[in-house]
Amino acid sequence: MAEPVKIKIWSDYVCPFCMLAEGPLEEAIKNFGVEVNVEWMPFELRPHPQPTLRPEDEYLPSIWEQAVYPMARRLGVDITLPAVSPQPYTALAFEGYQYAAEHGLGTAYNQRMFRAFFQESQDLGQIDVLVALAAEIGLDEAGFRAALADGTYRARHQEALREAAAHRVQSVPTMLVGDTRIEGVPRPAQLRKAILDAQAQRAEGDVYGASCGIDGSC
């Protein structure tokens, strides 16, 4: 049985385009006939102590009017510039993601974070907010809170950030499908082609690359 095609997606919970990428991804893989394994990867756009953005400043309303809202309307996604000011740091939320992923709810956790921020203006930098959201998707409330308070998943999150650096991720969403790199919200057809290319490359790898050595081994 063929192994699933792996799709890695680097995102940040304060990036509206990362939420908007969910729809094209789901459309691309639904009833496509190729098994895929989607892995969400963390990337902090503005890590502490770099200042985060404020919705009352000129930049955020401008980029939302020019790019976010038009794309959201085309994709049929309900999304609003959050009123949280300043925008939260996301390191703690990503530590929570590591907990959720370990308990089999990583994708559900990501989806809830996006909707909490971009549809409900919840502050993802607050531990009480994160605990309540985690409980909503079925995670153990006490265990989740203790993990964040104790920094249980801090090292794992930092290791994930080092992987992002190794892949030279500088913007989100960034997707890696086999050897194909896609930056920005993808088109479903673009994703399907990348999935098929990755599947073909893996099949060729089963045939090509074999060799014999001078010691007689093959």
Side-chain angles (χ1 to χ4, degrees):
M1 183 177 179
E3 292 184 2
V5 172
K6 178 172 284 190
I7 301 176
K8 287 192 173 188
I9 308 175
W10 282 272
S11 69
D12 194 358
Y13 297 134
V14 296
C15 167
F17 298 109
C18 294
M19 179 174 171
L20 294 177
E22 288 183 328
L25 172 64
E26 291 174 3
E27 182 180 343
I29 64 179
K30 184 178 180 181
N31 301 321
F32 187 43
V34 178
E35 188 177 357
V36 300
N37 179 12
V38 178
E39 183 179 6
W40 290 86
M41 307 293 293
F43 181 82
E44 296 178 40
L45 283 168
R46 295 167 192 88
H48 187 273
Q50 181 180 347
T52 61
L53 301 179
R54 296 176 179 268
E56 63 267 25
D57 294 339
E58 183 179 349
Y59 172 74
L60 277 178
S62 175
I63 197 68
W64 275 71
E65 289 298 329
Q66 294 174 19
V68 180
Y69 284 129
M71 180 177 290
R73 286 192 290 269
R74 290 196 299 270
L75 296 174
V77 178
D78 176 20
I79 189 170
T80 303
L81 173 60
V84 179
S85 183
Q87 290 195 336
Y89 293 107
T90 50
L92 192 64
F94 277 129
E95 289 180 34
Y97 167 74
Q98 297 295 339
Y99 178 97
E102 188 172 276
H103 290 80
L105 290 172
T107 297
Y109 180 90
N110 271 348
Q111 291 173 341
R112 189 65 189 97
M113 293 298 114
F114 283 132
R115 280 147 188 76
F117 190 57
F118 291 115
Q119 294 178 344
E120 302 163 10
S121 280
Q122 296 204 51
D123 187 347
L124 302 184
Q126 301 298 318
I127 189 169
D128 288 343
V129 170
L130 297 175
V131 169
L133 294 172
E136 284 184 23
I137 65 168
L139 290 169
D140 178 70
E141 188 171 339
F144 183 86
R145 181 184 291 276
L148 294 192
D150 296 342
T152 306
Y153 292 87
R154 193 165 299 152
R156 190 176 301 180
H157 171 56
Q158 291 301 318
E159 177 60 32
L161 293 182
R162 285 192 287 273
E163 182 174 350
H167 283 281
R168 295 181 173 83
V169 175
Q170 296 183 329
S171 64
V172 287
T174 290
M175 301 187 182
L176 194 62
V177 188
D179 293 333
T180 302
R181 184 186 183 102
I182 301 173
E183 296 181 351
V185 179
R187 298 184 304 276
Q190 181 185 19
L191 266 175
R192 293 192 190 104
K193 182 180 184 303
I195 291 169
L196 290 175
D197 287 346
Q199 187 182 48
Q201 288 170 356
R202 190 172 56 206
E204 288 180 354
D206 293 336
V207 177
Y208 297 103
S211 65
C212 290
I214 59 173
D215 60 356
S217 62
C218 290

